Amino acid sequence: NVTESNLPEARKTESDYFVIQTPGEYKYYKMTVVGNRDMGEATGRSTMQFSELNLYEIEKPIQYTDLHNYIDQNNIGGDAGVSIKGTQDPNKLFDNDTTTMWCVKKGTNEPTGYSKTVKWGMTQAVTLNAYTLTTSDDEHPVRDPWTWTVYGTNDEATFNGTSETEEGWVVISNITEGNLPEDRQTES
């Protein structure tokens, strides 16, 4: 598993990727964020946000294929939490618009160590080899994701949460201390 982000400290117009260490061909994916940059301060722990989640398949020779067209736009969801401005739902992560974001706030009854999950289905099974995260364009880097895990499954019942267990999910990427750049330009 990748343990640190390789996104640039000073953002540039180029993209850097998180490479999946254990890729497999899956139709359903989820990403669970279990901490943001400001895990130690009360001001940041209550809110998490980022702008885009771009998915890539690597072909041989090394060629990144954007998987955006394979995302089933009607099958995006998960634990969205409470949107701050009403329209900052998980669908915004896949809209190719860095002026929008997924922004969620800890519910009043949630414990301090909460997690937020976004799930998405593909129109067909694909091998996710890499992805990028793009932070939002506001002045709150404390809200950036810091620790997260990406999973894959081919079991629709597991994806829909109707399975008896969560055992159908396979960890394909686990990031701790994902040190996204604090510069608030909206480039990955």
Side-chain angles (χ1 to χ4, degrees):
N1 289 334
V2 177
T3 57
E4 289 189 29
S5 160
N6 63 348
L7 290 178
E9 286 299 318
R11 295 209 196 142
K12 301 175 180 145
T13 57
E14 62 216 39
S15 293
D16 287 338
Y17 302 94
F18 295 96
V19 176
I20 302 291
Q21 297 301 312
T22 53
E25 188 173 88
Y26 301 106
K27 185 168 182 185
Y28 306 103
Y29 292 90
K30 77 175 180 177
M31 176 182 191
T32 300
V33 179
V34 295
N36 62 9
R37 181 185 297 278
D38 192 21
M39 291 179 62
E41 299 295 326
T43 57
R45 282 185 281 173
S46 65
T47 306
M48 187 278 304
Q49 68 188 28
F50 62 103
S51 180
E52 292 295 312
L53 177 59
N54 295 303
L55 313 172
Y56 300 93
E57 181 176 42
I58 301 174
E59 300 170 2
K60 294 180 181 180
I62 301 297
Q63 164 120 18
Y64 287 88
T65 300
D66 185 346
L67 294 174
H68 185 78
N69 291 333
Y70 293 102
I71 297 170
D72 182 352
Q73 295 293 328
N74 296 317
N75 214 357
I76 299 171
D79 178 15
V82 179
S83 292
I84 304 300
K85 295 181 181 176
T87 59
Q88 297 173 326
D89 59 41
N91 292 6
K92 303 301 182 192
L93 295 177
F94 302 102
D95 65 2
N96 281 331
D97 182 353
T98 58
T99 65
T100 65
M101 71 180 90
W102 179 41
C103 184
V104 291
K105 195 170 188 177
K106 180 177 77 68
T108 56
N109 295 325
E110 290 181 280
T112 301
Y114 76 103
S115 66
K116 295 296 178 188
T117 299
V118 59
K119 300 192 300 186
W120 64 96
M122 308 299 279
T123 58
Q124 66 186 46
V126 298
T127 301
L128 176 61
N129 296 107
Y131 60 97
T132 61
L133 293 182
T134 304
T135 58
S136 59
D137 63 349
D138 65 13
E139 297 177 7
H140 302 290
V142 296
R143 297 178 179 177
D144 293 348
W146 184 256
T147 303
W148 64 87
T149 304
V150 180
Y151 305 83
T153 188
N154 285 311
D155 182 43
E156 188 173 7
T158 297
F159 175 75
N160 290 326
T162 57
S163 173
E164 294 294 319
T165 67
E166 287 284 311
E167 292 177 12
W169 288 108
V170 177
V171 174
I172 61 172
S173 177
N174 188 29
I175 305 295
T176 58
E177 298 183 17
N179 194 16
L180 297 168
E182 291 187 50
D183 183 357
R184 300 325 290 167
Q185 297 174 34
T186 58
E187 299 159 0
S188 56

